Amino acid sequence: MSNDTQGTSTRRKFLGMAGLMGAGAVLSSCTSVIATMPSQDNGLDAAIFNFALNLEYLEAAFYLAAVGRLGELDAAGGSSARVTLPSGFDGKSAIPGLSAEVRAYADEIASDELAHVKVIRSVLGSAAVAQPQLDLGPAFAAAGNAASGGAITGFNPYANELFFLHGAFIFEDVGVTAYKGAARFLDDQKAGGNLENAAGILAVEAYHSGAIRTLLYQRRAQQAAAGLTVEQVVQAISNLRDAVDGSDDRDQGVTMNGMGNIIPTDGNAIAYSRTPRQVANIVFLDTTGAATKGGFFPNGLTDDGNLGKLLAL
């Protein structure tokens, strides 16, 4: 649903962050992209891919752990040992009580995100950055606390199916906007090149987002935690993301003006964009706009030497 009254919502009253993203890769299955850049190369393509790779490590770890497949990250070039999980959950067994439907969604998305890690590493070759330390435990607790104004403590996305869907919502919308925002900086626009492949991954991330938003909308009236409904928790997460990504209002919950809002868009039914800096604000759970680490990346992103330039865009 489009929002023709941007800036009029009350979302700005929330100052905090619950972030991420996974923010989608900037590439699909083409393994010769970097080698075929055109002469007008602005030097950002590889940096964008490595920024995306950091985020794909995060998304892959989140979903793989949810279905008990975290160890698969190691064979793809990541590191399950560098993933902090909530106490009592090791990512070797699926979230208890997952329905067959949600388990199927989670397994498919986990495989997609793992494939993104593999293909970006393949394309970048020796230039691919290593997986940073990922926080899927305390960072979620901090996000839940911020989103609820302190009403929700110790939020754990692996505690049950509903909490898992809330955790996924934190990531998926950010991935779509991050991916779209990166497209403007890609040089290679020929058939089968960077931009075309980026559009392909954007579509996959949007499918993921739509699936998660639909599942949450179906449960919108259900009590979630601390006296809040699913609809209210989702809106609070949206509000918090919106508080750090710029002066406008580019984030939406699963309802708007009393109606369903499965597809978040602007007034022209176009998906929003976020810059790398705006994405970083979200994944770092940062309200200052200047953090270089924190949140889901406690030690920061793995830098290929161009991260500072990318965040300045």
Side-chain angles (χ1 to χ4, degrees):
M1 174 182 292
S2 301
N3 182 1
D4 295 318
T5 57
Q6 296 298 311
T8 62
S9 78
T10 59
R11 296 173 192 170
R12 295 292 169 196
K13 67 182 179 181
F14 290 87
L15 298 174
M17 184 46 260
L20 193 350
M21 117 147 46
V26 236
L27 192 46
S28 72
S29 59
C30 177
T31 58
S32 60
V33 176
I34 300 299
T36 56
M37 289 183 189
S39 59
Q40 74 269 23
D41 178 19
N42 62 10
L44 291 177
D45 285 47
I48 290 171
F49 297 159
N50 268 320
F51 182 76
L53 181 56
N54 273 277
L55 302 173
E56 288 295 349
Y57 284 133
L58 178 65
E59 281 196 309
F62 172 73
Y63 284 106
L64 287 169
V67 292
R69 297 166 50 195
L70 183 59
E72 293 181 30
L73 193 59
D74 300 331
S79 172
S80 59
R82 305 199 72 195
V83 180
T84 300
L85 295 167
S87 177
F89 183 78
D90 61 10
K92 297 178 182 179
S93 299
I95 295 169
L98 281 184
S99 65
E101 178 187 43
V102 172
R103 174 64 188 262
Y105 278 118
D107 261 319
E108 182 174 4
I109 296 175
S111 295
D112 288 345
E113 303 301 357
L114 186 63
H116 292 169
V117 169
K118 291 177 180 178
V119 71
I120 296 177
R121 287 183 56 85
S122 176
V123 169
L124 289 170
S126 62
V129 295
Q131 180 194 306
Q133 184 69 36
L134 304 175
D135 184 348
L136 297 177
F140 272 112
N145 185 71
S148 65
I152 297 176
T153 59
F155 174 68
N156 176 2
Y158 300 115
N160 56 56
E161 180 171 293
L162 184 57
F163 284 9
F164 163 69
L165 292 175
H166 281 124
F169 176 76
I170 288 175
F171 291 157
E172 289 302 342
D173 284 356
V174 181
V176 174
T177 57
Y179 198 173
K180 178 172 178 283
R184 74 187 75 170
F185 303 117
L186 296 175
D187 288 323
D188 186 2
Q189 298 184 18
K190 67 180 181 302
N194 294 358
L195 186 59
E196 181 175 341
N197 283 292
I201 295 295
L202 170 57
V204 172
E205 297 295 341
Y207 280 131
H208 294 171
S209 177
I212 297 301
R213 291 177 70 93
T214 297
L215 290 170
L216 287 166
Y217 177 75
Q218 290 171 343
R219 305 174 189 214
R220 63 192 180 281
Q222 183 177 335
Q223 287 295 309
L228 301 173
T229 65
V230 168
E231 179 182 3
Q232 290 170 325
V233 172
V234 169
Q235 187 61 59
I237 293 170
S238 173
N239 291 341
L240 289 167
R241 288 193 305 228
D242 219 7
V244 298
D245 67 2
S247 59
D248 61 0
D249 188 356
R250 69 183 65 205
D251 208 299
Q252 300 168 9
V254 295
T255 61
M256 184 175 293
N257 301 321
M259 299 177 64
N261 189 48
I262 305 302
I263 307 167
T265 70
D266 67 11
N268 295 314
I270 295 175
Y272 291 102
S273 297
R274 283 187 172 99
T275 66
R277 178 71 258 182
Q278 289 170 324
V279 172
N281 292 349
I282 292 175
V283 299
F284 296 153
L285 304 183
D286 175 45
T287 60
T288 70
T292 58
K293 63 181 179 179
F296 299 101
F297 294 90
N299 299 326
L301 304 175
T302 307
D303 190 354
D304 66 352
N306 293 298
L307 182 60
K309 181 179 180 181
L310 201 60
L311 295 181
L313 294 175

